[in-house]
Amino acid sequence: MPSKGKVCLAYSGGLDTSTILKWLLQEGYEVVCFLANVGQEEDWDQVREKANKLGASKMVITDLRREFVEQLCFRAIQCNAIYESRYLLGTSLARPVIARAQMQVAKEEGCQFVSHGCTGKGNDQVRFELAFLTIDPKIKIIAPWRMPEFFERFQGRNDLLDYAAEQGIPVTSTKAKPYSMDDNIAHCSYESGQLEDPSKPPPTDMWTRTDDPMKAPATPQDVTIIFEKGLPVKVISEGKEVTDSLELFIFLNAIGKKHGIGRIDIVENRFVGIKSRGCYDSPAMTILRDAHLDIEGLVMDGKVRSLRDQFVTHSWSEILYNGMYFSPEREFVENSLLFAQRRVNGEVRLRCYRGNCYITGRSSETEKLYSEEESSMDSLVDFSPVDTTGFINIQSIRLKKYGMQKLEEGSGLDKA
Amino acid sequence: MPSKGKVCLAYSGGLDTSTILKWLLQEGYEVVCFLANVGQEEDWDQVREKANKLGASKMVITDLRREFVEQLCFRAIQCNAIYESRYLLGTSLARPVIARAQMQVAKEEGCQFVSHGCTGKGNDQVRFELAFLTIDPKIKIIAPWRMPEFFERFQGRNDLLDYAAEQGIPVTSTKAKPYSMDDNIAHCSYESGQLEDPSKPPPTDMWTRTDDPMKAPATPQDVTIIFEKGLPVKVISEGKEVTDSLELFIFLNAIGKKHGIGRIDIVENRFVGIKSRGCYDSPAMTILRDAHLDIEGLVMDGKVRSLRDQFVTHSWSEILYNGMYFSPEREFVENSLLFAQRRVNGEVRLRCYRGNCYITGRSSETEKLYSEEESSMDSLVDFSPVDTTGFINIQSIRLKKYGMQKLEEGSGLDKA
Amino acid sequence: MPSKGKVCLAYSGGLDTSTILKWLLQEGYEVVCFLANVGQEEDWDQVREKANKLGASKMVITDLRREFVEQLCFRAIQCNAIYESRYLLGTSLARPVIARAQMQVAKEEGCQFVSHGCTGKGNDQVRFELAFLTIDPKIKIIAPWRMPEFFERFQGRNDLLDYAAEQGIPVTSTKAKPYSMDDNIAHCSYESGQLEDPSKPPPTDMWTRTDDPMKAPATPQDVTIIFEKGLPVKVISEGKEVTDSLELFIFLNAIGKKHGIGRIDIVENRFVGIKSRGCYDSPAMTILRDAHLDIEGLVMDGKVRSLRDQFVTHSWSEILYNGMYFSPEREFVENSLLFAQRRVNGEVRLRCYRGNCYITGRSSETEKLYSEEESSMDSLVDFSPVDTTGFINIQSIRLKKYGMQKLEEGSGLDKA
Amino acid sequence: MPSKGKVCLAYSGGLDTSTILKWLLQEGYEVVCFLANVGQEEDWDQVREKANKLGASKMVITDLRREFVEQLCFRAIQCNAIYESRYLLGTSLARPVIARAQMQVAKEEGCQFVSHGCTGKGNDQVRFELAFLTIDPKIKIIAPWRMPEFFERFQGRNDLLDYAAEQGIPVTSTKAKPYSMDDNIAHCSYESGQLEDPSKPPPTDMWTRTDDPMKAPATPQDVTIIFEKGLPVKVISEGKEVTDSLELFIFLNAIGKKHGIGRIDIVENRFVGIKSRGCYDSPAMTILRDAHLDIEGLVMDGKVRSLRDQFVTHSWSEILYNGMYFSPEREFVENSLLFAQRRVNGEVRLRCYRGNCYITGRSSETEKLYSEEESSMDSLVDFSPVDTTGFINIQSIRLKKYGMQKLEEGSGLDKA
């Protein structure tokens, strides 16, 4: 049988993508496997060995941790990115770097196709495929879990196990995990399986990137984070000082893990219109976001902050969640974002303790928007209180008319 | 000397407003004192006695706790209101009910003037006065701290103390407090004085509405909150069940206090364009906001949520912070807000523990937007995975063009 | 062959839907035809006859003009709705009333299916089907132009003509029209065919709802429009006074037609991500929108207007364009919209002349936000100019800091 | 009397600023006069002579037309800037360049003060002074019309005329103009006086920058405008081709004047909360805005356009109107704006005729977002209609739930 062409498959070594790998080979494709290292726990050698054993022409593993942290996680921090007021976007942030690297491999290896093991109801298929198609509009995508010939054949875990047995795919456990996980340096996500009942708490032993806040140390840990242009450039804690971006992110992950910082359990709205329950633990991201919000309080203009919050933070978060990192609208909002960060310079001190990081102070050597003198209610240096009378009177011109309308309507505003 | 007219003065019993009371009397006004009970700690009888002793014609104390909680705090909860991503608006929420009640007293007592002791650089003068002027566009305002004849005479605490000694104003302490506080049932705020240095942590004994999280009980406390139309209608914890709105708010305050929930320390942007540092502890508001956000995840449409977050939450919070509660724009956004809450029905379970409240589950008997079946990655009931292919392809039409532009520009998206 | 079920088909009498009707019958469905009267030019009897002749069980024609005008067009006017700054949404506004009426017929006639002749690349398929599925989530849709068995069989006009000849479908013209039109009382749209080249002007004889402005009367026509709560309730011109909503809309259409008002020629962004060129003539809508914008200037609070423009007008227009009339987000924004219109009462006078309607004056007997006295630069009644000094000084606090930053950065703002 | 210091006065040669000049001198200031040439009609020599005659130390006249057009008017065009849906901001755009040049003169001449003749209720005082204070936070401002010693002395035109007679100020007319005008190359504005009655049309002979559309040529004039990065770089009409930015702006003004394009008559909301009636004629700006909107339709991504409209266009227009050109928020939004214009390249053809400019075609040699093939309803090249089914089905998931809620509530969406 002549080859149908070459496929670059996102391969994790698990039962699903091993099945897809084997199935693609049987369908007549040549397969190059790709695995991104975005900081997840993984036995890399074992994955490589398994891919080769199953028949992959090649297994490419790429360390993307630095570009993930610097280009995506740090941008999210500059943006105070958050989805639906709670989710720090850990998975959404990883997808663009993974998709881009997979497309690079596809190009280098001369693949006409890319493939992945995402299911048909999730966000990730959208994120990966929009990235693939934007990076190379001519790439062809094989999404087995949306192809009837595949999903009708493999209708449950047992079908996969039978196929594995038949095809000699090594299987570590015949029992399904009680939920699925997606781990990277920004967070670990947990969903599906027993988590699908949103009224039940997750199992206490589920969390991997944070220790139980109830078992966290009784002694708090103080941390200082220094920002330049909205980017963390130094982290100091317990005598240790880290300046490399990847290292400081890992350092903050370790601190946050120990003190149980960054767990959430939410029901969110997927891009495809389905609600789903997800749990996420994101220690470094949580600490960095809190610190960044705080330094902005000290050094960012209030009106810029308000506009940025309403437009950039909201839009950027939604754009990322919906898988549109590679889009003109993301570039569009980022241009303003970066301007807003030019003067976000200073340091924030936090105290990490049992699930929380409390801000204990902030300062900036270069930025002067805050002034104790000016802030002080007692000082009248450079401030004429009479001005405020004019300020209020002018503001009231419009409002008084509203008051008169209400009186006229008989719904006087003086009634509770 | 004939009376210059009748003034309704917001009187707290403290040194500032006692000075103003005496000064107004000396200036030839008749003064009716007014004090709102919005849940603050206060020795009401002592305030009453002091006002009378100093020469007030009348001292009116009004219990506004219920209307404060029901009309303002609960609306803020429905709105997930938050200013600059952190401040739950405790002071801003109290101002409208206080101003309204003061204007009612002014009307009943036939006052032509209202007066207050707010300083000239703060937000509160704006909030009070815009409310006064909107409620009754003809009211006249006496703001001594913005009148040169007053602020030039009383340039520091010593001037006030001298005047007090001279006028027989009882003074409890001759030492200034190291910071100023504003307490109500929603929160206590702390600012000024030693807090003006934002790089220093606040004193550990400062907080009044929350116990120290580090000294909070080692045993967590589980709480269930039931919402109807976005309003908390029942709180259950440790065998106690409370349904009255004021009572349940007080109950949550007690729980939050005990577990150290709701402290923040921020630098914020005042409406008058000055940055200031404020600390706030808001136990019930923090718990209720977390719970409300969570139930919305389960029962609110995702698109409505996104629009509400960007427009209503953002605008309402800014409107309240800036003292424009009595405004057409507040009514404008609230009309949509209330629609969005019609189906926010369900219960949320939380675990309060050392500074945090962790969501442990949520459910709704009436709302069906979440479906386990639908959410499940494994189930294909009522879902055709092939549809997602179309969904992605259509979304990609526009994005592919962007990809082609980038290729053309030589800034291919495949480069990191 | 037993019936596959009953279909309610949107039937226009044209070649496309006649082919679909016949094809559905051949496929084994029973077909009830439905045609909405939304004000288009049509030979209703001929359509009815043709449907019956071709085998429809029934042909239902419903006059929806009044609900279309009152519920959709007038809401758009209250909203100043506009898509991409230019398109008044004529087609988008008609779709919800048509879809709703079709679903009513489907229900009354016991149809399990609804069908339409929209093509696979346009907006209308989306608008109709989202409406169908929202109104009755269980309805089944037959969209022949997206079914391979249909679109592969009928690949061009010749295939349709051959089938018509074979099946005895009466055909009025064997030549394709040079562009397609969609007519209703709000506008007529023109697209496709020769209009697909956006660099060429449309044929001069294309427009049906407006006469050529160059041939319009040399004498202008004055019109007065009276609004209550943002709704036009009376139109007066040349001695004629019309108060019925449908009648006044028709009256304004006639005036606008005569004076050539409301033509646009644009390239727009379809919901499916494709750009397309469309021409539209919307006389009454254009006049009403101009007048409504103007009366709002006189009577609406400025801050409400700003929020409404940014939030409601933008969102509502996009929601309608994208076919989401039946959605919680449309209801959500409309709640605020209606509040904003409560006091939009007054009259506007316009002069219609060769393609334009010029505002010549406006007044309101009930609304008092505008005051000549107050507006006058010369009068200081109720206005203290000193207040403005305070207003400016307070606004400058924040801006001066920006100026100092710029100086510090060496990019002084005094340089051009 | 020793000099109180040196003032740079914005001097127009009119009665108001001549009075201010004389009064400042009498008050003991040295005065340098400044007049900006922003394209208004003016007898420059006469103004210079008058200033010198009245005692100014110096009269500086600066030609700012090019920087006004290139830096402000063109930015407004890139932005599609519009205030309250109608006003093209002609006056607001001129203020920043005038204020900046005045501050340069003040600096060069060693002035400690700047002064102007704006009244206390208008927008211009705010615009000028915020600009002054931001450019140099230490500058001192003398605003006579807000100083009681000035405005109480000069309470009407007669007081000014008396003072002029007394002081030997040459007066051209003793009769007040029936309205005030502000002319520059972008527009002429008309307000106050008899225009204060918004129900009356302005006098027909008022307009200066546009001829009466009713008397405009019966023959239309075709114009082609070429854009690069959203900026007009060439205008062609009737055999004339202009590429210089100032020249092409003047050319478009001439064309627009002749064909009566760009008149509006509105009631607007001033920043100080007062409604006022203004008339404006802006020929070149109107033509350029229409053309720019049109080319964007052809070449700008739809999602970017939507975000830009809601965020940048709205905010930028309000920022400019409110006099905050020199502000971090203006820079903030402009960063995204400029990104959005990078690919706004192409040409637009318009037909100017009696008050209107009709778009007759547009094209772009470099931009490819529009494709006739793709746009065509008939072509299925590179488009699978089946995809749209998936697109619709996925969108409907969320909406169906809303439909079910409505059914449940008994308010079925099938009812009109």
Side-chain angles (χ1 to χ4, degrees), chain A residues 21-60:
Chain A
L21 167 54
K22 207 71 202 177
W23 181 81
L24 285 169
L25 292 166
Q26 285 191 317
E27 290 286 308
Y29 295 98
E30 188 185 340
V31 183
V32 173
C33 286
F34 168 73
L35 177 56
N37 174 358
V38 283
Q40 71 273 44
E41 284 299 307
E42 196 65 77
D43 184 336
W44 309 100
D45 289 337
Q46 198 182 305
V47 174
R48 184 183 306 279
E49 201 179 316
K50 194 167 177 180
N52 293 333
K53 180 176 175 299
L54 292 179
S57 318
K58 199 167 179 179
M59 172 77 228
V60 182

Side-chain angles (χ1 to χ4, degrees), chain A residues 67 71 84-86 100 104 107 119-122 125-126 129-130 133-135 137 145-146 151 192 196-201 213-214 218 220 265-267 269-271 274-277 293-294 297-298 300 302 305-306 310-311 314 318 324 326-329 331 349 353-356 358-362 369-370 372-377 379-380 383 385-386 388-389 391-392 395-396 398-400 402-404 406 413-416, chain B residues 67 71 84-86 100 104 107 119-122 125-126 129-130 133-135 137 145-146 151 192 196-201 213-214 218 220 265-267 269-271 274-277 293-294 297-298 300 302 305-306 310-311 314 318 324 326-329 331 349 353-356 358-362 369-370 372-377 379-380 383 385-386 388-389 391-392 395-396 398-400 402-404 406 413-416:
Chain A
E67 73 181 70
Q71 295 179 25
E84 297 189 338
S85 307
R86 294 186 290 173
R100 182 168 58 194
Q104 286 164 344
K107 195 179 178 185
T119 61
K121 293 168 116 179
Q125 54 177 345
V126 184
E129 297 186 19
L130 289 180
L133 292 167
T134 308
I135 291 169
W145 286 119
R146 296 201 312 263
F151 69 71
S192 303
E196 277 158 16
D197 179 352
S199 73
K200 301 261 172 57
M214 293 189 57
D265 170 355
I266 65 173
V267 176
N269 295 288
R270 283 190 206 141
F271 186 31
I274 294 172
K275 284 186 178 290
S276 75
R277 193 261 195 100
L293 271 174
D294 192 69
L298 190 71
M300 185 179 279
R305 182 181 193 135
S306 176
Q310 188 170 24
F311 287 99
H314 185 88
E318 221 166 80
M324 309 243 179
F326 297 104
S327 71
E329 59 268 29
E331 260 199 276
R349 285 177 290 288
Y353 175 70
R354 286 192 160 133
N356 260 316
Y358 298 94
I359 306 291
T360 57
R362 75 292 285 165
L369 297 194
Y370 179 89
E372 284 188 43
E373 181 75 54
E374 180 188 74
S375 172
S376 170
M377 292 294 186
S379 162
L380 293 183
F383 188 89
V386 180
T388 321
T389 304
F391 180 70
I392 294 171
Q395 307 273 4
S396 75
R398 182 177 68 81
L399 296 175
K400 282 173 175 174
Y402 170 71
M404 288 189 286
K406 286 286 172 181
L413 295 170
D414 61 336
K415 283 155 205 141
Chain B
E67 76 182 68
Q71 294 179 26
E84 296 190 337
S85 307
R86 294 184 291 174
R100 182 167 58 194
Q104 286 164 346
K107 195 179 179 185
T119 61
K121 293 168 115 179
Q125 55 177 345
V126 185
E129 298 186 20
L130 290 180
L133 292 167
T134 309
I135 289 170
W145 286 119
R146 295 201 314 264
F151 68 73
S192 302
E196 277 159 16
D197 179 352
S199 74
K200 302 260 173 57
M214 291 189 57
D265 170 356
I266 66 173
V267 176
N269 295 289
R270 284 191 206 138
F271 185 31
I274 294 172
K275 284 185 177 289
S276 75
R277 192 260 195 101
L293 271 174
D294 193 70
L298 190 72
M300 185 180 278
R305 181 180 193 136
S306 176
Q310 189 170 24
F311 287 99
H314 185 88
E318 224 166 76
M324 310 242 180
F326 297 105
S327 71
E329 59 268 30
E331 259 199 275
R349 285 177 290 288
Y353 175 71
R354 286 192 159 134
N356 261 317
Y358 299 94
I359 307 291
T360 57
R362 75 292 286 165
L369 296 194
Y370 180 89
E372 285 188 43
E373 181 75 53
E374 181 189 73
S375 171
S376 169
M377 292 295 185
S379 161
L380 292 183
F383 189 89
V386 179
T388 321
T389 304
F391 180 72
I392 295 170
Q395 307 272 5
S396 77
R398 182 177 69 81
L399 296 174
K400 281 174 176 173
Y402 170 71
M404 288 190 285
K406 287 284 171 181
L413 296 169
D414 61 337
K415 282 153 207 143

Side-chain angles (χ1 to χ4, degrees), chain B residues 279-344:
Chain B
C279 297
Y280 307 96
D281 52 353
S282 326
M285 288 298 284
T286 302
I287 297 171
L288 281 170
R289 187 172 182 276
D290 283 358
H292 183 262
L293 271 174
D294 193 70
I295 192 67
E296 285 193 342
L298 190 72
V299 302
M300 185 180 278
D301 176 83
K303 183 69 186 163
V304 169
R305 181 180 193 136
S306 176
L307 287 170
R308 197 272 323 268
D309 288 353
Q310 189 170 24
F311 287 99
V312 175
T313 302
H314 185 88
S315 302
W316 197 92
S317 304
E318 224 166 76
I319 288 167
L320 264 281
Y321 186 85
N322 290 347
M324 310 242 180
Y325 176 80
F326 297 105
S327 71
E329 59 268 30
R330 198 262 313 162
E331 259 199 275
F332 173 72
V333 298
E334 270 192 27
N335 274 275
S336 283
L337 173 66
L338 292 179
F339 169 79
Q341 297 297 304
R342 280 176 328 124
R343 306 283 304 233
V344 179

Side-chain angles (χ1 to χ4, degrees), chain D residues 4-251:
Chain D
K4 284 187 181 163
K6 216 165 162 181
V7 181
C8 180
L9 169 68
Y11 180 69
S12 71
L15 180 57
D16 277 47
T17 53
S18 294
T19 301
I20 292 171
L21 168 52
K22 207 72 199 177
W23 180 81
L24 285 169
L25 293 168
Q26 285 190 318
E27 291 285 308
Y29 295 98
E30 187 186 341
V31 184
V32 172
C33 286
F34 168 73
L35 177 56
N37 175 358
V38 284
Q40 71 273 43
E41 283 300 307
E42 196 64 76
D43 184 336
W44 309 101
D45 289 336
Q46 197 182 305
V47 174
R48 184 184 306 279
E49 203 178 315
K50 194 167 180 180
N52 292 334
K53 179 174 175 302
L54 292 179
S57 318
K58 198 167 180 178
M59 172 78 228
V60 181
I61 297 176
T62 317
D63 184 350
L64 303 170
R65 291 177 306 155
R66 181 168 301 277
E67 74 181 69
F68 176 35
V69 165
E70 292 182 353
Q71 294 179 26
L72 272 294
C73 299
F74 281 7
R75 188 70 85 240
I77 292 306
Q78 288 184 304
C79 197
N80 303 325
I82 199 160
Y83 182 67
E84 297 190 338
S85 307
R86 293 184 292 173
Y87 173 38
L88 300 192
L89 296 166
T91 300
S92 327
L93 296 173
R95 295 323 184 206
V97 288
I98 298 172
R100 182 167 58 193
Q102 184 172 352
M103 289 299 287
Q104 286 164 346
V105 171
K107 195 179 179 185
E108 283 157 21
E109 301 295 329
C111 301
Q112 300 84 41
F113 302 87
V114 287
S115 183
H116 61 75
C118 303
T119 61
K121 293 167 115 178
N123 288 311
D124 283 336
Q125 54 176 344
V126 185
R127 293 172 187 150
F128 278 121
E129 297 187 19
L130 290 180
F132 294 153
L133 292 167
T134 308
I135 290 168
D136 178 3
K138 301 206 179 318
I139 197 71
K140 286 181 217 125
I141 293 168
I142 300 175
W145 285 119
R146 295 201 313 264
M147 297 165 76
E149 60 269 41
F150 189 90
F151 68 72
E152 280 163 11
R153 175 164 173 193
F154 301 105
Q155 295 199 16
R157 189 166 174 83
N158 283 339
D159 292 345
L160 293 169
L161 289 172
D162 289 350
Y163 184 76
E166 179 193 315
Q167 298 290 331
I169 301 173
V171 172
T172 38
S173 160
T174 54
K175 248 185 67 188
K177 276 188 298 181
Y179 44 80
S180 76
M181 292 166 58
D182 180 64
D183 186 37
N184 66 45
I185 201 169
H187 84 346
C188 187
S189 77
Y190 316 84
E191 60 175 347
S192 302
Q194 71 176 78
L195 297 175
E196 277 158 15
D197 179 353
S199 73
K200 302 260 171 57
T204 49
D205 65 350
M206 177 188 76
W207 308 92
T208 60
R209 291 202 161 261
T210 47
D211 294 341
D212 187 344
M214 291 188 59
K215 295 177 185 154
T219 315
Q221 178 169 359
D222 288 343
V223 181
T224 299
I225 303 178
I226 289 93
F227 289 93
E228 279 178 19
K229 303 192 180 198
L231 299 169
V233 294
K234 193 189 290 186
V235 172
I236 308 167
S237 185
E238 300 187 340
K240 197 173 160 189
E241 190 175 309
V242 188
T243 55
D244 175 76
S245 43
L246 181 55
E247 291 310 308
L248 73 78
F249 200 87
I250 290 169
F251 185 34

Side-chain angles (χ1 to χ4, degrees), chain C residues 104 121 146 196 265 275 300 306 318 329 331 354 362 370 374 379 389 398 402 406 414, chain D residues 104 121 146 196 275 300 306 318 329 331 354 362 370 374 379 389 398 402 406 414:
Chain C
Q104 286 164 345
K121 293 168 116 179
R146 296 201 313 263
E196 277 158 17
D265 170 355
K275 283 186 178 291
M300 185 181 277
S306 176
E318 222 166 79
E329 59 268 29
E331 260 200 274
R354 286 192 160 134
R362 73 294 284 164
Y370 179 88
E374 180 188 74
S379 161
T389 304
R398 182 177 69 81
Y402 170 71
K406 287 285 171 180
D414 61 336
Chain D
Q104 286 164 346
K121 293 167 115 178
R146 295 201 313 264
E196 277 158 15
K275 284 186 178 289
M300 184 180 279
S306 176
E318 222 167 80
E329 58 269 29
E331 260 199 275
R354 287 192 158 134
R362 75 292 285 165
Y370 180 87
E374 181 188 73
S379 161
T389 304
R398 183 177 68 82
Y402 169 71
K406 287 284 172 182
D414 61 337

